[in-house]
Amino acid sequence: MSTDTRTGSSTDTGKSTGDPLVHAVNVTKAFHGNEVLKGIDMDVHPGEVVCLLGPSGSGKTTFLRCINQLESIDGGRIWVDGDLMGYEDRSGTLHRLTDKRIAAQRREIGMVFQRFNLFPHLTALENIMEAPIQVKGEKKKAVRERALALLDQVGLKDKPSAYPAQLSGGQQQRIAIARALAMQPKLMLFDEPTSALDPELVGEVLRVMRQLAQDGMTMIVVTHEMGFARDVADRVVFMDGGVVVEQGPPSEVISNPQHERTRSFLRRMRQEEEAHEKALEEAAHLAGLGDEGPA
Ligand SMILES: Nc1ncnc2c1ncn2[C@@H]1O[C@H](COP(=O)(O)OP(=O)(O)OP(=O)(O)O)[C@@H](O)[C@H]1O
Ligand SMILES: [Mg+2]
């Protein structure tokens, strides 16, 4: 590309380590006068996995929704792969794009939510095939092949004909990931993808996400799974009160946080994790006793 819309508009160059796939500058967003994002800057480079941490209400979901324009922003700019999201810049003034053009931008970004929202009347395979056919107008045969490969990728190649109600939460979430990937997105956004799952189903979803990261997908993941953040994230971003408090490699932010707000959040997370593990151990113990049977 010979023109770069980013240069000239600000002091930001963003060029030092190659162009970021996501380039967010001073993003602000308020709901009814309540400022929820207070100037978020964030760059995510191709292939990078960024885990977004922060207490409830800190603006994590809102920020993800702003990236793919499920929410409009009040100030700042977000580029994804060089595209200014949601707006057109005409000599420095932003004009909102038409819904159609925003939908086209959104198509390049996969999003996985806490709730999987699969179509209940479609099978697993049909759920995965739906958008590429209906939205992109792709040929059914090619989409079907891709969908079958995706089912395999998420460990569900034996479930093409299952309806969502016949699948566990973990399986449904893996279908939801496959469905997002079927659109061949440049970027995947995950908003607490495992927090609605029974604890024993969390691992299978994280495994799929870990593999996706290894395969080079660019990902922004809002999660409370500290183990995942520690192992998989290239960078951890801690948000609180609508600002980025600190960020860096997990070895720094998680193991050696510099800010008290980060420290107290991580302490709380650790306590929750411990309580969680204890509950799991107790459940396993009870199950073990049940298995013993008569001597
Ligand atoms: N559509 C909306 N209308 C009004 N207020 C909203 C809306 N969406 C979010 N908010 C408010 O914005 C703030 C940030 O919400 P957001 O959902 O982004 O937080 P979060 O960090 O994702 O929290 P959680 O960890 O609980 O998911 C909250 O105070 C929330 O109540
Ligand atoms: Mg949220």
Side-chain angles (χ1 to χ4, degrees):
M1 252 198 288
S2 58
T3 52
D4 185 340
T5 51
R6 283 159 291 193
T7 53
S9 60
S10 71
T11 54
D12 165 71
T13 63
K15 286 274 187 183
S16 53
T17 52
D19 285 345
L21 186 72
V22 179
H23 183 51
V25 181
N26 199 20
V27 174
T28 57
K29 172 73 184 175
F31 293 108
H32 320 292
N34 171 27
E35 200 168 38
V36 167
L37 301 179
K38 299 176 181 166
I40 302 284
D41 293 321
M42 195 183 295
D43 278 2
V44 183
H45 287 88
E48 205 181 6
V49 177
V50 170
C51 279
L52 204 49
L53 312 180
S56 183
S58 56
K60 307 178 298 293
T61 294
T62 304
F63 183 62
L64 287 192
R65 290 171 58 85
C66 286
I67 293 176
N68 74 358
Q69 291 295 308
L70 288 170
E71 299 287 355
S72 60
I73 61 178
D74 299 333
R77 289 166 197 223
I78 303 174
W79 288 267
V80 175
D81 201 18
D83 265 349
L84 182 60
M85 297 301 291
Y87 300 88
E88 190 171 28
D89 186 346
R90 290 191 219 137
S91 331
T93 314
L94 295 189
H95 299 265
R96 187 84 179 144
L97 293 176
T98 60
D99 288 349
K100 201 171 161 197
R101 285 188 62 192
I102 291 174
Q105 290 185 324
R106 195 176 292 143
R107 238 172 268 158
E108 311 276 329
I109 302 173
M111 185 146 181
V112 176
F113 304 88
Q114 187 174 340
R115 296 259 154 227
F116 346 111
N117 302 322
L118 297 174
F119 297 114
H121 61 289
L122 299 182
T123 65
L125 191 66
E126 288 164 350
N127 262 286
I128 300 170
M129 293 173 62
E130 178 76 3
I133 292 172
Q134 298 302 330
V135 179
K136 275 190 171 171
E138 288 188 60
K139 290 259 178 351
K140 200 168 172 180
K141 189 166 175 284
V143 173
R144 191 185 158 81
E145 269 166 34
R146 192 157 84 232
L148 287 168
L150 283 166
L151 269 178
D152 193 15
Q153 183 180 333
V154 300
L156 291 170
K157 74 166 187 250
D158 55 339
K159 297 284 184 195
S161 311
Y163 286 91
Q166 299 169 321
L167 296 168
S168 72
Q171 290 171 329
Q172 288 185 58
Q173 190 60 304
R174 285 184 282 150
I175 298 291
I177 294 172
R179 179 180 57 177
L181 292 174
M183 291 292 277
Q184 302 181 300
K186 294 172 177 168
L187 167 71
M188 285 286 285
L189 308 176
F190 292 87
D191 193 0
E192 301 201 33
T194 59
S195 58
L197 299 176
D198 290 338
E200 71 273 19
L201 303 177
V202 168
E204 64 191 56
V205 173
L206 294 181
R207 219 169 298 129
V208 166
M209 292 170 61
R210 194 180 290 252
Q211 187 60 51
L212 197 56
Q214 274 168 13
D215 293 345
M217 177 59 77
T218 311
M219 299 164 49
I220 305 179
V221 184
V222 174
T223 185
H224 289 172
E225 296 291 336
M226 303 310 289
F228 179 85
R230 216 176 279 125
D231 295 350
V232 182
D234 297 298
R235 186 152 45 96
V236 168
V237 175
F238 176 71
M239 274 176 73
D240 194 10
V243 299
V244 172
V245 174
E246 67 181 295
Q247 57 175 311
S251 57
E252 285 173 21
V253 176
I254 298 179
S255 308
N256 188 22
Q258 297 302 301
H259 291 257
E260 177 48 33
R261 282 200 276 180
T262 319
R263 281 198 282 268
S264 72
F265 171 77
L266 290 169
R267 246 191 325 267
R268 244 179 304 134
M269 285 294 105
R270 219 161 284 136
Q271 283 161 358
E272 274 175 33
E273 238 170 49
E274 277 164 14
H276 211 77
E277 271 162 27
K278 201 160 158 239
L280 275 181
E281 266 169 35
E282 278 170 14
H285 183 62
L286 284 175
L289 284 181
D291 283 341
E292 264 174 25

